[in-house]
Every structure is written in C-alpha cells, then in structure tokens.
Amino acid sequence: QVHLVESGGGLVQAGDSLRLSCAASGRTFSSRAMAWFRQAPGKEREFVGAISRSSGGTFYADSVKGRFTISGDNAENTVDLRMNSLKPGDTAVYYCAASGVGSWPHLQYRQYYESWGQGTQVTVSS
C-alpha cells in the first residue's frame, strides 16, 4: 500500500494560481503512475491529470488542459499540481492517487488506482 498526503489547498480568487503537493510513502515502487482527481459537492469524482513515473509523460482532462501542470520527483516521491487561471468551477476537494497501471487511457479511470490521499480543499471565489 502507498500512503499519500496532500497539501497546499486553500481559498483563492478567480484568476489566481495555486500549487498542490502530494507526498507518497510506503510501497512507492509499486506505483507506475500518480494522478490528481477532484470532487465537487454533489458530483462524481473526476480525473484531473496524471503523470507516468517511468516516462514522465503527462495526461490532462480537457477542462484543465493548458491551465494545470503536473510534475513529479521520483527521488522524493512527490507529485505537484500547478493550477493557473483558476475558475470558480475548479472548486472541489482534490485527491492524489497512485496506480500500478502506467498507460493511457486507463489512467483517467478511478478503478485503476489502488491508493488515495485524504484530499485537500480548493475554493475559488468569483
């Protein structure tokens, strides 16, 4: 099992930037990809973006493409999500997740992730 802890959430205004971080510990060698998902009140948890730990390749949901950037540090077992040009629609609890699967399109589906963090709240005011 991989233990994940997110940090960096908060309250910002529309147009602002925010960086979320995820620290992994435990059986990190079993993870081939890391991702961020988010869940807004009353909605399903949705894919935001993912990064392959072997190739460094990144994948994004259309709704965040061009605004959000995922980066990872395998030596430190951390994954960051840099969010620019935030919108009120980005308001959600953001979750870090780890997957033993490293290929697309599987990485956009929740069932391929074995470990999840507790989440961090991001609120964007208009």
Side-chain angles (χ1 to χ4, degrees), residues 41-64:
K43 295 188 176 181
E44 294 284 322
R45 190 171 298 188
E46 66 175 5
F47 172 77
V48 174
I51 183 168
S52 167
R53 298 192 72 198
S54 58
S55 68
T58 54
F59 312 90
Y60 297 96
D62 288 342
S63 60
V64 306

Side-chain angles (χ1 to χ4, degrees), residues 6-12 18-20 36-48 63-64 67-68 81 83 86-96 116 118-125:
E6 304 96 336
S7 61
L11 171 63
V12 298
L18 199 62
R19 187 182 74 177
L20 305 182
W36 289 92
F37 284 74
R38 67 185 182 186
Q39 188 167 16
K43 295 188 176 181
E44 294 284 322
R45 190 171 298 188
E46 66 175 5
F47 172 77
V48 174
S63 60
V64 306
R67 298 189 299 124
F68 290 14
L81 179 67
M83 305 183 292
L86 282 162
K87 307 174 182 179
D90 295 318
T91 294
V93 176
Y94 283 71
Y95 296 90
C96 179
W116 294 84
Q118 292 300 306
T120 185
Q121 176 71 46
V122 173
T123 303
V124 184
S125 64

Side-chain angles (χ1 to χ4, degrees), residues 62-83:
D62 288 342
S63 60
V64 306
K65 200 171 294 183
R67 298 189 299 124
F68 290 14
T69 303
I70 289 180
S71 59
D73 186 329
N74 287 341
E76 296 293 326
N77 288 314
T78 59
V79 176
D80 288 351
L81 179 67
R82 177 69 178 178
M83 305 183 292

